[in-house]
Amino acid sequence: MAPSTITTTLSDLPDVILSNISALVTDTRARNSLSLVSRKFLALERSTRSHLTLRGNARDLHLLPGCFRSISHLDLSFLSPWGHSLLSSLPTDHQNLLALRLRLCFPSVSSLAVYARSPSSLELLLPQWPRIRHVKLVRWHQRPSQIPLGGDFVSVFEHCGFLESLDLSAFYHWTEDLPPVLLRYADVAARLTRLNLLTASFNDGYKSSEIVDITKACPNLRDFRVACTFDPRYFEFVGDETLSAVSTNCPKLTVLHMVDTAALTSPRAIPDGGDSAVTVGTLVEVFSALPCLEELVLDVGKNVKQSGVALEALNSKCKKLRALKLGQFHSVCSATEWRLDGVALCGGLQSLSIKNSRDLSDMGLVAIGRGCCKLSKFEVQGCENVTVKGVRTMVTLLRKTLTDVRISCCKNLDATASLKAVEPIYDRIKKLHIDCVWSSVEEEGGVEETNHGDDDDYERSQKRCKYSSDESLNGFCFEERVWEKLEYLSLWINVGEFLTPLPMTGLDDCPNLEEIRIKIEGDCRGKHKPAEPELGLSCLALYPKLSKMQLDCGDTIGYALTAPPMQMDLSLWERFFLIGIGNLSLSELDYWPPQDRDVNQRSLYLPGAGLLQECLTLRKLFIHGTAYEHFMNFLLRIPNLRDVQLREDYYPAPENDMSTEMRVGSCSRFEDQLNSRNIID
C-alpha cells in the first residue's frame, strides 16, 4: 500500500507569520481577495487591516459591518453626498445613534479624517473616540460667518485630550481662528507634534505674529508646515524675526515647510522679482537651532541672494537632512573652479528640488551630481540657464540612485530635450515629469490667436513638432529605448497644443507604465478652433499597462456659457480634450473639468459625459466638479463601474446646489442605480 502524501499549504504556517504577511498587503482589492480564501484568512485580514476609507451614502451608515474592529485610521471625508456636513440631514436622535454605531463598529480609531463643513459634525463624532491622536479636517466651502472666532477648532481640542497631530491642509478657515484656541487649550497644544497649515485656498496665509503665537503654544512640534507671505510689501510678512522665532520656539523640528501662498496658488508662475526680507545670517542661525531637521521646504516667492553660505551651514548643522526644496534661492551652487560649494556639500540629501533659481547653471548641476551622490529624487523648475548637457551630466553621475525626475518651466528644456537629459537612466527611472513643449521644428497648422500681443506665445501656438529619427539634439543621437521601470508619468501641456508628438520624442516604449497625470493649463478665451479635432489621448494606447489617469483641466479657463463669435465654449473644449479616452483600458480616472472663473462654474458637459461613457473598463471615476443628473446617467452604461463621485474640491466650492445640477436627492438616485447593478467580478 502506497504511503499517503501530506501536502503543506500556506495555511499551515503559524498564525503570527500569516498575520505579518497579511499586514504587508496594502492594495485594497488584493486584501478583499485574500479574505475570500477561507474563514481563517478572513479573520487574519480583518485583524490586520488598520486603514479604511468609507464610501457610499451617509444615510446607509446603519448598515456598517462590525468586523473591522482593528481599524485605527478611519477616513469619513469621502462619504456621499460629498461636501455636506456628516449626518446633518438626519433627525437629531438618529444622528446620535449613528455616531454611536460608528464607535461600536470601529472601537480602535486613533486617526480620523472628516469633511467638517460646520462644527456640528465634530461635536457628534469626536466624543466617540476620546483617545484619538490624529485629526484631519476637510472643507472647500467658505467658512460660515455665524461661527464664532475659533469655533471650528474648539470641539477638536475640547474632546481630543491626547491629540498629537492636526492636519488643516485641505480645510479652509480663517487664520485668526487657530491661535486663540491653542492658547485656551494650552495642555493639548503642548502635546502636538505635527501641525499642517499648508492650506492652498488662502489668499495671504498666516501672519507673522500668528506663526509666532502658534509655535509658542506648541513647543514640542516635530513637523510644522505653514502657508504664509514672504512679500515685504504685505502687512505682517514673514522675515528674519519670524524664522528665528520658529527655530527658537520649536527646537525639536524634524520637518519644516514654509511656503508663500503665491507658490501654492500658482506653482508654475515665475515671480516678478524683488528681494525677500530673509537674510543669509538669519538662515545660518535658524539652521544652527534646528539640528534634528530632516526635511526642509522654503519657497519664499522673493529673491534670497547669496544663499550658498547658508546652505553650507545647513550641511554642517543639520546632519540628518534628507529632503530639501528651495524656491527663489540664488547662488545655491556657484561651482567655481570645480570646487563644491552651497547645496552641493549636502551629501546626505536623497531628495532635492530647486525652483526659480536664475543663476543656476550647468556647472552647478554637475557639482550637485558630484556632491549629492545619494539623490533618488531631483526636481528643477524655472531655471533659465540650465540646458540638456548640464542635466544629462548630473543624471549620469547619479545613475545608481536617481529614480524620480521632474523638469518644468525651463526655457532650454522642451519635451525632447528633457527626455534626452534623463536618457542615461532610461532603464532605471520610475517617475518622470516633463513639459509637453514642442518647439524643435516649425510645423503647419496650430491654434490661431485672436490677440497677437505676445509674440512668443503666438509663435509657440503656430508650432508643433515634426521629429526625425536621424536628427540629433545638442550632439545626442536618437536611439530606441525601452523605459522598462517607468511606472508614473506626469505631463504639462498648454491649452491648444497637442499630445500626439509624445511617442515620437522617444517615449514610445514603456511596458510597465501604470499611471499618468496630464495637466492642461491656459486661457481658452481668445483662441480659435484647434487645427486638429482632438488633444491626442489615443496615442497613449501604446502603453499596455496604463490603468490610472489623472486628467486635470482645472486651470483651463474659458466661457461656460455662450462664447464670442469664432471661439469655442468650454463644452467644445472638453470634447477636444476627451476624444480618444475610450481607446484606453483605464480602471481609475480622476477628471477635473475646465472652468469659468467669472461664474465659478466647473462642470461636466454633454460631450464630456458622452465620451466618458466609452471608457468601458473603468471601475472608479471621480469628477472634481459638478454635473447634471441626466449627464451622470450616461455613466451607468459602463459595465463594471463601481465607484463614482462628484467632488467640488476647489475653493470656493459652490455654496448652494444649482437648480438643475446634482443635488442631494440627485446623488442618492444615481448611487442607487449604480449600486443596484450586477457587477461581474
Side-chain angles (χ1 to χ4, degrees):
M1 183 175 179
S4 59
T5 58
I6 300 176
T7 304
T8 301
T9 64
L10 186 65
S11 300
D12 295 321
L13 290 174
D15 287 350
V16 175
I17 296 178
L18 287 175
S19 295
N20 290 335
I21 295 174
S22 179
L24 294 174
V25 180
T26 56
D27 180 69
T28 303
R29 295 202 69 200
R31 293 191 68 94
N32 293 338
S33 300
L34 179 66
S35 67
L36 298 175
V37 173
S38 65
R39 291 183 182 274
K40 180 178 181 179
F41 276 53
L42 172 63
L44 285 171
E45 194 281 325
R46 295 295 188 258
S47 65
T48 57
R49 185 181 290 218
S50 59
H51 292 66
L52 184 66
T53 298
L54 281 186
R55 284 283 290 108
N57 202 297
R59 64 181 180 176
D60 299 324
L61 284 177
H62 64 282
L63 301 176
L64 279 173
C67 56
F68 295 98
R69 304 187 64 83
S70 298
I71 295 297
S72 59
H73 294 70
L74 181 62
D75 191 343
L76 303 177
S77 62
F78 295 113
L79 284 171
S80 293
W82 187 92
H84 291 263
S85 293
L86 186 63
L87 311 177
S88 61
S89 59
L90 303 174
T92 304
D93 55 340
H94 289 194
Q95 294 178 14
N96 295 327
L97 287 174
L98 285 178
L100 180 61
R101 173 66 178 170
L102 282 169
R103 187 185 69 182
L104 294 176
C105 292
F106 309 109
S108 305
V109 169
S110 61
S111 173
L112 179 68
V114 61
Y115 197 100
R117 191 162 174 177
S118 68
S120 60
S121 301
L122 301 176
E123 290 288 350
L124 282 170
L125 293 173
L126 293 179
Q128 309 302 326
W129 298 287
R131 301 187 70 83
I132 205 165
R133 297 181 182 277
H134 170 74
V135 173
K136 178 179 181 180
L137 303 183
V138 181
R139 181 172 68 198
W140 291 95
H141 291 83
Q142 297 185 46
R143 178 191 184 279
S145 56
Q146 66 271 19
I147 298 177
L149 190 67
D152 279 324
F153 307 117
V154 168
S155 55
V156 175
F157 287 87
E158 183 176 334
H159 298 296
C160 304
F162 296 90
L163 189 67
E164 296 177 358
S165 172
L166 181 61
D167 188 347
L168 304 178
S169 59
F171 184 75
Y172 178 74
H173 57 283
W174 293 349
T175 59
E176 57 266 31
D177 275 332
L178 187 59
V181 179
L182 293 174
L183 295 175
R184 178 179 171 184
Y185 296 92
D187 292 343
V188 180
R191 286 178 174 269
L192 282 177
T193 58
R194 294 182 69 250
L195 184 59
N196 190 342
L197 305 177
L198 274 179
T199 312
S201 53
F202 283 150
N203 290 324
D204 300 326
Y206 276 85
K207 299 179 177 63
S208 174
S209 60
E210 293 168 342
I211 294 175
V212 173
D213 291 342
I214 289 170
T215 53
K216 278 184 179 178
C218 309
N220 293 311
L221 282 179
R222 296 181 181 274
D223 186 335
F224 182 49
R225 311 176 191 219
V226 62
C228 51
T229 300
F230 286 92
D231 193 336
R233 297 173 298 178
Y234 282 75
F235 176 68
E236 286 210 55
F237 64 90
V238 171
D240 285 348
E241 293 182 4
T242 311
L243 290 175
S244 297
V246 170
S247 61
T248 303
N249 296 334
C250 303
K252 300 177 182 178
L253 281 175
T254 60
V255 178
L256 176 61
H257 292 205
M258 300 187 74
V259 182
D260 191 273
T261 51
L264 285 174
T265 54
S266 302
R268 293 180 58 89
I270 298 178
D272 299 332
D275 296 339
S276 72
V278 178
T279 61
V280 173
T282 299
L283 287 175
V284 174
E285 294 176 5
V286 170
F287 299 153
S288 301
L290 299 174
C292 300
L293 208 58
E294 298 177 9
E295 183 177 328
L296 174 64
V297 175
L298 288 176
D299 195 345
V300 299
K302 292 293 178 180
N303 299 328
V304 180
K305 297 182 177 179
Q306 303 300 323
S307 62
V309 175
L311 297 176
E312 292 176 8
L314 178 64
N315 171 59
S316 61
K317 304 298 182 182
C318 306
K319 298 291 187 180
K320 298 180 180 180
L321 190 69
R322 295 296 177 264
L324 176 64
K325 180 174 181 178
L326 302 172
Q328 212 78 1
F329 277 61
H330 302 305
S331 302
V332 294
C333 184
S334 301
T336 55
E337 299 179 356
W338 291 93
R339 182 178 61 86
L340 298 182
D341 64 346
V343 73
L345 291 175
C346 300
L349 284 179
Q350 298 174 2
S351 174
L352 175 62
S353 175
I354 301 176
K355 176 181 176 184
N356 297 335
S357 181
R358 294 180 181 175
D359 57 358
L360 181 66
S361 64
D362 287 345
M363 292 301 295
L365 289 179
V366 174
I368 291 172
R370 291 170 52 214
C372 304
C373 54
K374 297 181 180 179
L375 279 182
S376 61
K377 179 179 179 180
F378 177 71
E379 177 182 9
V380 59
Q381 176 181 337
C383 299
E384 299 180 351
N385 296 326
V386 301
T387 68
V388 61
K389 291 184 178 180
V391 178
R392 186 183 176 98
T393 304
M394 187 202 71
V395 167
T396 302
L397 292 169
L398 297 171
R399 172 174 168 75
K400 293 183 179 180
T401 60
L402 198 60
T403 59
D404 187 346
V405 179
R406 297 180 58 88
I407 302 173
S408 57
C409 302
C410 295
K411 181 175 66 175
N412 299 316
L413 293 169
D414 59 13
T416 309
S418 298
L419 290 174
K420 282 294 177 182
V422 300
E423 194 177 45
I425 56 171
Y426 75 94
D427 57 341
R428 293 182 49 86
I429 191 168
K430 295 180 179 179
K431 294 184 177 181
L432 174 65
H433 170 87
I434 60 172
D435 290 348
C436 293
V437 178
W438 321 116
S439 56
S440 296
V441 192
E442 191 82 22
E443 82 136 13
E444 306 173 24
V447 180
E448 297 181 8
E449 298 279 352
T450 57
N451 183 358
H452 299 234
D454 189 334
D455 291 336
D456 290 338
D457 287 342
Y458 174 66
E459 215 170 306
R460 281 196 300 270
S461 70
Q462 301 297 312
K463 292 178 180 179
R464 206 179 133 215
C465 228
K466 191 182 296 178
Y467 298 92
S468 172
S469 59
D470 56 358
E471 289 196 6
S472 63
L473 176 72
N474 294 333
F476 303 118
C477 298
F478 275 98
E479 291 183 23
E480 292 188 4
R481 300 291 189 187
V482 180
W483 302 72
E484 187 174 356
K485 295 187 178 181
L486 186 64
E487 300 172 352
Y488 175 87
L489 178 63
S490 174
L491 304 171
W492 177 91
I493 185 168
N494 190 33
V495 65
E497 297 290 342
F498 305 96
L499 196 60
T500 44
L502 180 66
M504 294 179 284
T505 60
L507 204 61
D508 56 333
D509 197 349
C510 305
N512 294 304
L513 182 65
E514 296 180 357
E515 184 174 356
I516 190 169
R517 176 180 176 87
I518 302 174
K519 173 79 172 179
I520 305 173
E521 188 176 353
D523 195 341
C524 299
R525 299 170 297 185
K527 292 183 181 290
H528 283 186
K529 183 178 179 180
E532 295 186 16
E534 62 177 292
L535 173 69
L537 291 181
S538 299
C539 72
L540 303 178
L542 55 85
Y543 304 128
K545 290 190 177 181
L546 183 63
S547 61
K548 300 178 182 179
M549 175 183 286
Q550 300 175 52
L551 182 58
D552 188 352
C553 308
D555 287 326
T556 300
I557 306 167
Y559 299 104
L561 306 175
T562 305
M566 304 300 293
Q567 297 185 38
M568 301 196 306
D569 60 27
L570 287 181
S571 66
L572 298 179
W573 277 106
E574 187 173 57
R575 180 173 64 181
F576 169 75
F577 297 144
L578 289 176
I579 285 180
I581 196 170
N583 298 329
L584 309 180
S585 300
L586 298 176
S587 61
E588 297 183 21
L589 174 63
D590 280 78
Y591 174 56
W592 288 259
Q595 64 169 315
D596 187 335
R597 289 180 180 171
D598 293 338
V599 295
N600 190 30
Q601 183 172 342
R602 187 180 301 187
S603 300
L604 179 70
Y605 296 93
L606 176 61
L611 291 167
L612 288 178
Q613 75 172 349
E614 297 177 2
C615 300
L616 301 180
T617 57
L618 271 185
R619 294 185 63 88
K620 294 184 179 182
L621 173 60
F622 303 117
I623 299 172
H624 300 262
T626 61
Y628 297 109
E629 183 177 357
H630 59 284
F631 291 169
M632 294 295 290
N633 288 335
F634 286 19
L635 306 176
L636 296 173
R637 301 173 187 177
I638 303 175
N640 287 320
L641 191 63
R642 295 291 301 272
D643 198 358
V644 184
Q645 193 170 44
L646 296 177
R647 299 174 181 172
E648 300 162 359
D649 48 0
Y650 53 92
Y651 180 81
E655 279 298 313
N656 300 312
D657 296 316
M658 304 292 289
S659 59
T660 54
E661 300 251 2
M662 292 290 281
R663 300 178 294 274
V664 174
S666 303
C667 288
S668 299
R669 286 192 296 270
F670 172 77
E671 289 175 352
D672 288 342
Q673 294 182 71
L674 184 69
N675 295 331
S676 65
R677 303 184 308 158
N678 182 34
I679 304 298
I680 297 174
D681 58 348

